[in-house]
Amino acid sequence: MQPSDCQFSKLPEIKLPLVNRFYKQVYKKGLAKKGDALFTLKNREIICSGKLKALDKQLLLCAIACAPEFRGRGYASLLIEKILMLQKQP
């Protein structure tokens, strides 16, 4: 499977528990909270996830996590690229 085979999506806030379950498995420090913009790359399951946090009038890209079996293959880079393409504010 290639990174281009994955589905990129911005998740609604109701999917927050799904992303937090992924973070618990692969990235112990990251937890999404209400108000965070959540993004994923998925095939059947989440492969890579990230979030945007609002700080004052700017956004902070944080908590980029990738499943161990997909690390080093460009998935996190693709996720970051797609998140940044959607943004219009600093």
Side-chain angles (χ1 to χ4, degrees), residues 22 26 46-48 65-71:
F22 175 74
V26 302
I46 296 174
I47 293 171
C48 198
C66 192
E69 61 270 25
F70 296 99
R71 290 180 185 158

Side-chain angles (χ1 to χ4, degrees), residues 1-7 41-48 66-67 69-75 78:
M1 181 176 63
Q2 298 295 317
S4 58
D5 297 333
C6 296
Q7 177 187 8
L41 277 181
K42 294 173 63 170
N43 192 345
R44 280 176 247 153
E45 296 182 14
I46 296 174
I47 293 171
C48 198
C66 192
E69 61 270 25
F70 296 99
R71 290 180 185 158
R73 295 171 41 191
Y75 291 93
L78 178 63

Side-chain angles (χ1 to χ4, degrees), residues 73-90:
R73 295 171 41 191
Y75 291 93
S77 295
L78 178 63
L79 178 70
I80 292 167
E81 181 181 311
K82 290 191 175 281
I83 292 171
L84 294 177
M85 286 189 331
L86 292 177
Q87 303 315 305
K88 293 182 177 39
Q89 78 182 79

Side-chain angles (χ1 to χ4, degrees), residues 13-24:
E13 198 170 280
I14 196 159
K15 301 273 185 163
L16 184 119
L18 180 67
V19 172
N20 281 337
R21 189 173 335 127
F22 175 74
Y23 280 141
K24 283 182 184 178

